[in-house]
Amino acid sequence: MIGSIPPGLVLVLGALVAPVLPGRLRNLYLLALPVLGLAGLIGLEHGIYGAFEVFGYQLAVVRVDKLSLLFGYIFHIAALLSVVYALHVTDRVQAVAGMVYVGSAIGAVFAGDLITLFVYWEGTAVASVFLIWARRTERAYSAGMRYLIIQVASGVLLLAGAILHVAETGSLTFDRMGLDGLAGTLIFLAFGIKCAFPLLHNWLQDAYPEATVTGTVFLSAFTTKLAVYALARGFAGTEMLIWIGATMTAFPIFYAVIENDLRRVLAYSLNNQLGFMVVGIGIGTELSLNGTAAHAFSHILYKALLFMSMGAVLLRTGTIKGSDLGGLYKSMPWTTGFCIVGAASISAFPLFSGFISKSLILTAAAEGHYTVTWLVLLFASAGVFHHSGIKIPYFAFFAHDSGIRCKEAPINMLVAMGITAFLCIAIGVWPDPLYALLPYPVDFAPYTTTHVITQLQLLLFSALAFAVLMRTGIYPPELRSVNLDFDWSYRRLLPAAAGFVMAYGRPTRERLIATAERRIERFIARLYRHHGPQGPLARTWQTGSTALWVAFLLGIYLILYYV
Amino acid sequence: MTPPTDRTPKDKDRRYWLDDPRNVSKVFWTLCLICLLLFAADALYDKKVHFAFEAWFGFFGIFGFVACVGLVLAAKELRRVLKRDEDYYDR
């Protein structure tokens, strides 16, 4: 903490000054904020800070322990990298929104009570939508609106759950709560929406690809990982999460294979990666929770890197459709290289970050004898390599030459991608510093002969499958299309149902309105009769008769008193 | 001789190594060779496993291949049901 300003708030308050600063100075200032915030975390003792009492309830604005610190570190690092990536942007709205968003997410992971968590939770929702709206297109506006409604709904559920939780337990402390009782269920749902559980997931694939080039990089890091943190804190060892997580790893990859918008492909694979973390939370052992925390850390970096590389492509070519791209390695060799590092990391190639974090979760699933879950995770691991590891770099940078020749990405983007790629490799090669940050002591060696060889077999045979399908022409081509997902239910089905009701319910509606109007007219007429100019209650009374009435009432009172 | 104004930019004309289909084939066959070696590697070390089926010879390779082919074929079928025109939601 800096002085007595809680972590996160430094960035939120700091962001408010940003718009008045001129260009260069603003960039410098925006770079300094996350650095300052990170410096404030170093050497911070575990414990509760900023505790105070409101109406007899104990609030704890800041709770520092290994879990909150780990997420605090990576959120600051991701913020710094995102700022570097966005240095060429002159839009002040994005500068402020990005920083308030990051600050809120950081504040939320340090929140020690449910009310503080709620405030920051809504902060992330409201600030982040501006990163979508800043695209300034009709599509982005509607996607942002849908995103905001769903995010705020998550916050409302959280608040309702928090209030019930206080009523049930008398405490506001945010700790392990479990699913028994309505309070726990509501809070679970609130977290589940933000974590993109199956059927609650579609805001992610809907909104993230519509955000600005730099906005998506910000968005990819914080909202969903905040939810992962909250689930790990509140619902570790909840068995239902194993099934939810396994479903999340598997079903988005089918969509990823046939999706044309490459940033949407990444959104689907983001959903799939969250599934691994959720499974880790559900298993709930020290090994699996370590796995979730480690995977969140490395995932934030490689996912940001992948979104950065696709953002650079979108910036330079004006499109991000797989059907229109190809052959860009000739124009953007550096971006291609960085993208491949991100792809290798998400695919968990040995020596890249995903390898040393995902294996903790898979090993935990195997040790707990969750055979089906383990097989689903293995399938998803092969699948993620297939769509994120190969499809993304292949269709953007290789495949058939689209003939597009453009400039390499701006220097600030290359620097951001370079640092992120370096971190992805560094964590993969040298995992011990990350392992030291995990919530529980780590007794795990990722680089065993069995593990390295079996992982390479899985991945390279997946690559072989891709190559064979490509050469035989079986692989489905990239087509300009949209694929129906769950958002269809609220973008098409619900409006259609509402239209149906409006059309066929018209006679009933008109009858209802007519009845209501008649009643109101009658009511007004009655009101007029009693209170109107001729009404008995509107007449002015003479003083004499009033005095008589008062005397009469007093008389009755006296009689009653003596009786 | 073509006038200079008609000339495409230098990098547009440049032939890259991967532009030659024969080289793409080389990459493909190299990948096949690596896969073959990795498959054979199962004979060379003591596999430490949690589930009995993991110990089957070449389990991870076969699983990866079958999983990916299955994934793509299933997704292709899914497209019949889910695919709509690009402006589906804008209409």
Side-chain angles (χ1 to χ4, degrees):
Chain A
M1 288 202 282
I2 301 159
S4 56
I5 306 177
L9 211 56
V10 184
L11 280 70
V12 175
L13 296 178
L16 303 178
V17 187
V20 298
L21 297 173
R24 282 265 167 92
L25 193 63
R26 185 169 68 238
N27 280 345
L28 219 64
Y29 177 74
L30 288 173
L31 284 171
L33 278 177
V35 175
L36 255 162
L38 189 59
L41 290 187
I42 289 167
L44 202 56
E45 295 283 328
H46 292 192
I48 303 279
Y49 298 83
F52 64 97
E53 223 183 74
V54 180
F55 304 127
Y57 294 111
Q58 198 68 34
L59 296 187
V61 177
V62 178
R63 175 217 351 237
V64 179
D65 61 10
K66 284 197 99 167
L67 189 62
S68 53
L69 270 179
L70 178 87
F71 278 85
Y73 292 140
I74 187 60
F75 278 6
H76 278 100
I77 295 169
L80 183 61
L81 293 169
S82 305
V83 169
V84 174
Y85 184 77
L87 278 182
H88 64 285
V89 176
T90 50
D91 183 1
R92 287 160 204 234
V93 173
Q94 288 191 66
V96 178
M99 210 40 85
V100 172
Y101 172 45
V102 176
S104 305
I106 293 170
V109 299
F110 283 102
D113 66 86
L114 289 166
I115 296 301
T116 311
L117 180 71
F118 163 76
V119 172
Y120 283 124
W121 196 264
E122 292 290 45
T124 61
V126 174
S128 60
V129 77
F130 286 95
L131 297 172
I132 301 165
W133 284 340
R135 186 91 175 267
R136 297 182 170 87
T137 62
E138 189 63 37
R139 273 175 88 103
Y141 175 74
S142 343
M145 210 35 128
R146 289 190 293 273
Y147 168 86
L148 185 63
I149 289 170
I150 294 171
Q151 295 296 312
V152 169
S154 158
V156 171
L157 285 173
L158 174 59
L159 183 63
I163 291 168
L164 283 174
H165 185 74
V166 176
E168 282 172 16
T169 64
S171 152
L172 271 172
T173 313
F174 175 35
D175 252 320
R176 204 189 169 292
M177 49 187 83
L179 268 181
D180 29 80
L182 184 60
T185 311
L186 287 177
I187 296 175
F188 186 75
L189 264 178
F191 294 174
I193 290 175
K194 258 202 174 30
C195 197
F197 281 2
L199 302 188
L200 306 175
H201 67 284
N202 232 159
W203 59 267
L204 192 148
Q205 290 86 354
D206 182 19
Y208 281 14
E210 301 301 339
T212 61
V213 164
T214 53
T216 309
V217 175
F218 272 98
L219 288 167
S220 75
F222 303 102
T223 300
T224 49
K225 260 61 72 185
L226 168 59
V228 165
Y229 161 82
L231 281 170
R233 173 79 70 192
F235 297 94
T238 305
E239 201 184 344
M240 193 196 288
L241 286 173
I242 300 176
W243 298 105
I244 293 175
T247 313
M248 283 165 79
T249 60
F251 97 88
I253 58 183
F254 292 94
Y255 276 96
V257 170
I258 50 175
E259 177 58 54
N260 189 29
D261 182 319
L262 294 182
R263 292 205 299 172
R264 190 159 280 128
V265 173
L266 288 179
Y268 277 113
S269 90
L270 169 52
N271 209 173
N272 141 290
Q273 294 297 301
L274 292 171
F276 284 95
M277 298 172 218
V278 171
V279 168
I281 299 168
I283 295 171
T285 59
E286 291 195 352
L287 179 64
S288 76
L289 290 171
N290 272 343
T292 294
H295 204 47
F297 195 98
S298 47
H299 164 90
I300 285 176
L301 292 171
Y302 59 65
K303 196 82 231 177
L305 178 54
L306 286 167
F307 270 118
M308 284 178 190
S309 66
M310 288 301 111
V313 168
L314 175 59
L315 178 77
R316 283 309 194 210
T317 67
T319 181
I320 196 61
K321 290 174 188 152
S323 54
D324 301 357
L325 292 169
L328 283 180
Y329 76 95
K330 298 171 182 175
S331 311
M332 307 175 83
W334 286 99
T335 308
T336 309
F338 294 138
C339 178
I340 290 173
V341 171
S345 303
I346 194 172
S347 315
F349 258 94
L351 300 181
F352 292 89
S353 58
F355 181 76
I356 63 99
S357 55
K358 192 157 76 180
S359 51
L360 290 164
I361 299 171
L362 273 147
T363 307
E367 282 184 357
H369 302 290
Y370 297 101
T371 316
V372 178
T373 307
W374 185 85
L375 282 169
V376 173
L377 294 188
L378 198 65
F379 166 70
S381 301
V384 73
F385 176 50
H386 202 88
H387 70 258
S388 268
I390 306 177
K391 174 175 172 163
I392 291 285
Y394 182 78
F395 283 108
F397 300 111
F398 301 97
H400 71 285
D401 191 337
S402 60
I404 298 175
R405 292 294 179 273
C406 56
K407 282 200 287 183
E408 178 57 281
I411 184 74
N412 63 300
M413 285 191 169
L414 290 178
V415 169
M417 286 191 270
I419 300 170
T420 317
F422 170 78
L423 289 173
C424 285
I425 298 173
I427 292 171
V429 174
W430 193 36
D432 290 341
L434 173 58
Y435 284 174
L437 292 177
L438 298 181
Y440 302 101
V442 180
D443 174 27
F444 184 80
Y447 288 104
T448 62
T449 313
T450 304
H451 190 199
V452 171
I453 292 190
T454 54
Q455 182 70 6
L456 283 175
Q457 285 174 333
L458 183 77
L459 294 179
L460 286 165
F461 273 83
S462 304
L464 187 66
F466 181 85
V468 168
L469 291 169
M470 226 43 211
R471 283 175 83 86
T472 51
I474 295 172
Y475 197 89
E478 295 293 286
L479 295 175
R480 294 187 179 184
S481 59
V482 293
N483 297 306
L484 302 185
D485 197 346
F486 192 70
D487 58 346
W488 178 79
S489 63
Y490 51 81
R491 292 173 73 179
R492 275 289 172 273
L493 185 65
L494 272 185
F500 180 84
V501 169
M502 288 303 278
Y504 288 88
R506 174 160 292 159
T508 323
R509 184 168 144 258
E510 279 167 359
R511 229 178 11 252
L512 277 176
I513 290 175
T515 316
E517 276 173 356
R518 247 194 339 268
R519 292 224 171 129
I520 291 169
E521 274 166 17
R522 266 214 302 266
F523 174 70
I524 292 173
R526 218 170 35 231
L527 216 60
Y528 190 78
R529 205 163 55 237
H530 294 300
H531 295 274
Q534 302 305 319
L537 291 174
R539 261 178 242 147
T540 40
W541 289 10
Q542 288 169 351
T543 325
S545 66
T546 310
L548 197 69
W549 272 110
V550 170
F552 177 69
L553 284 173
L554 278 173
I556 291 180
Y557 175 73
L558 271 174
I559 293 165
L560 284 176
Y561 188 79
Y562 283 109
V563 173
Chain B
M1 200 181 139
T2 48
T5 44
D6 280 356
R7 220 182 286 155
T8 44
K10 206 171 75 196
D11 66 329
K12 187 108 184 170
D13 272 346
R14 195 173 138 198
R15 295 283 295 167
Y16 287 77
W17 188 75
L18 274 176
D19 284 339
D20 188 342
R22 277 175 304 177
N23 290 333
V24 177
S25 289
K26 275 184 205 162
V27 173
F28 175 70
W29 291 113
T30 312
L31 178 65
C32 291
L33 182 69
I34 296 172
C35 284
L36 196 71
L37 291 176
L38 275 170
F39 194 76
D42 259 11
L44 301 177
Y45 69 101
D46 181 23
K47 226 192 232 181
K48 302 260 192 311
V49 296
H50 289 96
F51 303 108
F53 54 79
E54 279 184 82
W56 297 346
F57 196 89
F59 169 78
F60 285 88
I62 295 166
F63 185 95
F65 191 87
V66 173
C68 282
V69 172
L71 166 68
V72 170
L73 294 183
K76 220 175 152 176
E77 291 306 308
L78 225 65
R79 209 176 220 180
R80 289 173 199 263
V81 187
L82 300 175
K83 192 169 93 66
R84 294 292 182 276
D85 286 336
E86 205 171 22
D87 60 348
Y88 175 73
Y89 284 119
D90 303 326
R91 279 178 289 184

